[in-house]
Amino acid sequence: MLKHQVIVIGGGLAGLRAAVESARLGADTAVLSLLYPVRSHSGAAQGGVNAALANMPECKDDSPAKHAYDTVKGADFLADQDCAEILTTDAPARIYELEHWGVPFSRTEDGRISQRPFGGAGYPRTCYAADKTGLYILHTLNEQAVKLGIKVYNEWAAIALASDGALNHGLVALNLQTGEIASFAADAVVFAVGGAGRIYKRTSNAMQSTGYCLGVAYKAGIPLKDMEFVQFHPTTIVGTNILMTEGARGEGGYLLNNQGERFMQRYAAKAMELAPRDIVSRSIQIEVNEGRGFPEGGGCVHLDLRHLGREKILERLPGIRELAISFLGIDCIEKPVPVQPGQHFIMGGIDTDKDGATILPGVYAAGECACVSVHGANRLGGNSLLECVVMGQRAGAAAGKFVKGKASAIKEAVLNDAAKKATAEVEALLKSSGKERLVNLRDEMAQTMTDQIGIFREDKAMREALATLHALRVRYRNVGVDAKHRKFNLDLLRTLELGGMLDVAESIAAGAVARQESRGGHSRLDFKTRDDANWMKHTRAHYTPDGARLTYTPVTKTKWEPEERKY
Amino acid sequence: MTDSIKLTIYRRDPDLDTAPKYQTYEIQPEPGQTVLMALYHILENVDKSLAFRASCRSAVCGSCGMHINGKNRLACETQLAPLGNEICIEPLPHLPVLKDLVVDMSSFWRKYEKVRPYLITLKEPPASGKERLQSIPDRKKIDDFIDCILCACCHSACTLDAWSDGYLGPAVLAKAYRFVADTRDEGGAERLKLVGSEEGVLRCHTIFNCTEECPKRIPITFGIQEMKKKVVWGKLTGKM
Ligand SMILES: Cc1cc2nc3c(=O)[nH]c(=O)nc-3n(C[C@H](O)[C@H](O)[C@H](O)COP(=O)(O)OP(=O)(O)OC[C@H]3O[C@@H](n4cnc5c(N)ncnc54)[C@H](O)[C@@H]3O)c2cc1C
Ligand code: FES
């Protein structure tokens, strides 16, 4: 049996930052990751990361408090205000630290970290490195992990926790390279497993952003919080739904309908294209629905950057230019890019406190998979990379302190039981003669989520979706795996993942049907306004074999009374 | 309707096969379809035993380097259409095959770790706790080299045994150069020593394979030669 004091699941920004912190505190720390850390989807983040550094002439009087207010307002007042304040107060130190470790931030004339405007922010507050910020931060954090000699278990999928209900003792994982299943003893486990975009059909997320591992925590009895809040990014390339960063609008890009009109005028006259994402996505969808869109990809609008000029595009947005050329054959210097909203981020996730601790002692979570909550009902662009480094650091510190100077309480029997159970499940999948097949189930789930639990929601369609998901979960029991080989068995991995994805999808649908109001990313045609009297509360979904059981917890308010969100 | 195309794919499960076999799949390409999407199509609908690596599908994670019609490329950004009606897909050359298109990258990562691939600083950061200053022109010096996604396309294309223990290879040297060229880095002589041997920059014969096969068009050979100049000068002047 392999053993470490702290095992971080996932090697993206949140996971690496957590591992670095716990290792710096002296805990024996390992990272276990399905992908080599530098392959994580954090590397796809383009636009930048927020911190009130006040480096630009326009933002001399910016402050963490103003950043916190913008975050809370952007969140449609569902964020816990104390947590938002922690996020923005810790932000400058975490960003400076990244610079000290070598992140090649773009610079101001006087050599400081440059900042650009992003949606929903009162000041240009988004620190960036061209339009490849995530890539550079991810590689830099990986470099720090190498420097500290942190052990990485590459291409292992965590498939179960080993908990006795009162304490967690480690985890069980599948080695993709060999097909072997092994248990890992760990006094503390940190989930940093990223997003769940592949539950949806149209998504900016990676093939590996399945959300499966949220299901692993969920099934172990840890609630998922606020899952109904899903962010749709306004500008993904039609067809592939690869992202065109918000930075493109931050640099001055326009959104145009088929009349050549900057339609955001009608929806957010002041902020225009830089209104928060939920608002811009809905506006695009309305334009398309009302016949003012273009037909490509089932409906889209144009992102026009031509007026920015060649030089600015090449300097500030070289990455997205390349992407539009490679995937659409369109050079944004010469032509507008057809874009449509796509699933982009989950505001919800594994329920944690402000130090990343879950209700199960010994289990922590950070990054996109966690819900603290700092993003509430809608995340501001640039706040997610920030969450990864701020909450990654805090969760790593908490896990490091949890294990420090304490005799290990790990019970091997619990681990052995968990391993036996997980092995049996995998073996059963491999042996199953079930008639159902992965692609059909997965496609139906993703299409249902996009069509019925998407940008606009209403009771009837959501109830149907919930019924479809229940049926899919039943059909999943009869799923068979065709590939029987051991090494790199993608059919097995993906089928296993689908089980967790269905559980997570169901938690999203259940939360959405129940919440009878519109708030942030949750926008209902049958309940069009926010209802603070009844719904200013967090949803918690608890796993049961028959679907999510929902409970609610209060939102923490410190300074800011809810107000109408106008931009 | 477009004509169907033939994808011939290298197949091997080292547990079962003593030699690789090539299997041909006929598919109906969709407009704009990439090699990666074709592989997913085969995996999901035709042959579920196929193995390959991928994640971001947007040319940034570095997972999907493969040898496609004789050239190392990222499957996710390679369109089918320009490749013609017969396409041959093989794993990155010279690396041990784990299964089908999946290669064993462990020696690559070991070499990466050897060159101290992180910013080395001797001076403390500013007492204010704030960022180190760096001018825009200084920051520009690393523009190309920070774009490396460690996909190993260059590494496996190098004819000088990048895959053997005798040579660090272009990707790892490019990573070293990313720090050598960074005005904030103070690892100078120490890092140059790590790369300044027969195992490092001296072995490069400027064949330019790496530069030609880099999906990110990083001028890798340039970086290697810049370091070689510094190393040779250091040796000539007795400083190294
Ligand atoms: C295209 C795109 C652009 C974005 N741009 C920005 C931006 O400009 N600014 C911003 O703030 N945010 C941005 N975001 C959001 C932000 O990038 C993500 O929320 C964030 O990077 C997530 O990081 P993470 O560490 O939580 O997860 P990830 O980086 O996704 O890492 C997840 C890790 O978990 C591992 N893993 C998953 N499942 C398992 C398993 N079963 N077992 C073991 N390991 C597992 C994976 O291997 C991976 O290493 C963007 C998102 C996308 C999709
Ligand atoms: S899948 Fe990420 S580079 Fe191709």
Side-chain angles (χ1 to χ4, degrees), chain A residues 97 100 140-141 145 202 204 240 264 336 352-353 445 500:
Chain A
E97 174 180 80
H100 298 160
T140 302
L141 282 176
R202 287 185 190 165
S204 67
T240 53
M264 281 312 296
T352 75
D353 70 7
M445 168 191 69

Side-chain angles (χ1 to χ4, degrees), chain B residues 102-116:
Chain B
V102 178
V103 292
D104 183 353
M105 295 276 287
S106 45
S107 68
F108 178 79
W109 299 118
R110 272 201 304 278
K111 289 177 182 179
Y112 164 79
E113 289 175 11
K114 265 190 175 173
V115 297
R116 305 191 65 186

Side-chain angles (χ1 to χ4, degrees), chain A residues 304-333:
Chain A
D304 194 350
L305 305 178
R306 290 173 297 181
H307 57 285
L308 302 183
R310 184 181 190 85
E311 202 177 317
K312 191 164 181 185
I313 291 177
L314 288 182
E315 188 206 319
R316 306 269 176 93
L317 303 164
I320 60 159
R321 174 173 177 256
E322 287 280 314
L323 287 172
I325 293 175
S326 303
F327 291 92
L328 279 179
I330 289 178
D331 185 344
C332 63
I333 294 175

Side-chain angles (χ1 to χ4, degrees), chain A residues 100 107 136 143 155 494, chain B residues 44 53 117 130 132 147:
Chain A
H100 298 160
R107 299 289 172 154
Y136 302 147
E143 289 154 16
E155 300 191 312
R494 286 158 56 91
Chain B
E44 289 179 345
R53 283 195 181 105
K130 293 189 174 181
R132 287 191 196 82
D147 280 353

Side-chain angles (χ1 to χ4, degrees), chain B residues 132-143:
Chain B
R132 287 191 196 82
L133 300 183
Q134 187 177 41
S135 72
I136 292 173
D138 277 349
R139 163 62 179 74
K140 245 191 153 42
K141 290 178 184 156
I142 48 173
D143 251 359

